[in-house]
Amino acid sequence: QVQFVESGGGLVQPGESLSLSCVGSVRIGNGIFMGWYRQAPGKQRQLVASITSDGGTNYAAFVKGRFTISGDAANTWKLQMNSLEPEDTAIYYCNAYKSPFTDLVVASWGQGTQVTVSS
């Protein structure tokens, strides 16, 4: 059964940085992309960033230029988050999905990792 484990969240002040990590037993490719999602209180889960097997990346407009998604051959994916804003406060999840359907994920959602940006 495919499973992902997220880590690296925490409490930071506005303008600071965090690096999230995701480990999972899935091989992306053949239309399967890897994504970082977030869900803020009272809001729907949304895709933040995605990466393809050949390293192509895509970002939501609200994080473009601040967040960077990356992956390595050890099935580990990272989300480097810079210039964090209070609006980035959310639980962050990773999952693979069948492009272009970002809700068509391949695994059950994990626990996620909480990111809180507050002064």
Side-chain angles (χ1 to χ4, degrees):
Q1 182 177 355
V2 177
Q3 196 170 17
F4 296 99
V5 179
E6 305 91 349
S7 63
L11 171 62
V12 296
Q13 295 188 346
E16 294 186 338
S17 299
L18 277 175
S19 180
L20 307 184
S21 292
C22 165
V23 179
S25 57
V26 68
R27 186 179 302 275
I28 63 174
N30 294 322
I32 303 296
F33 292 5
M34 191 67 197
W36 277 98
Y37 298 74
R38 74 185 187 187
Q39 187 168 22
K43 295 187 177 181
Q44 288 190 332
R45 188 158 18 215
Q46 58 185 171
L47 183 66
V48 172
S50 62
I51 188 168
T52 66
S53 58
D54 60 2
T57 58
N58 195 31
Y59 298 93
F62 51 82
V63 303
K64 194 171 291 185
R66 300 188 297 123
F67 291 11
T68 303
I69 187 172
S70 62
D72 63 28
N75 286 351
T76 300
W77 292 271
K78 295 190 181 295
L79 185 68
Q80 177 65 40
M81 306 187 296
N82 299 327
S83 303
L84 283 161
E85 304 169 351
E87 292 74 21
D88 297 317
T89 296
I91 299 175
Y92 284 71
Y93 304 86
C94 61
N95 213 324
Y97 66 92
K98 178 65 174 177
S99 179
F101 308 105
T102 61
D103 292 336
L104 195 58
V105 296
V106 303
S108 299
W109 293 103
Q111 296 289 328
T113 186
Q114 174 72 49
V115 171
T116 303
V117 185
S118 175
S119 55

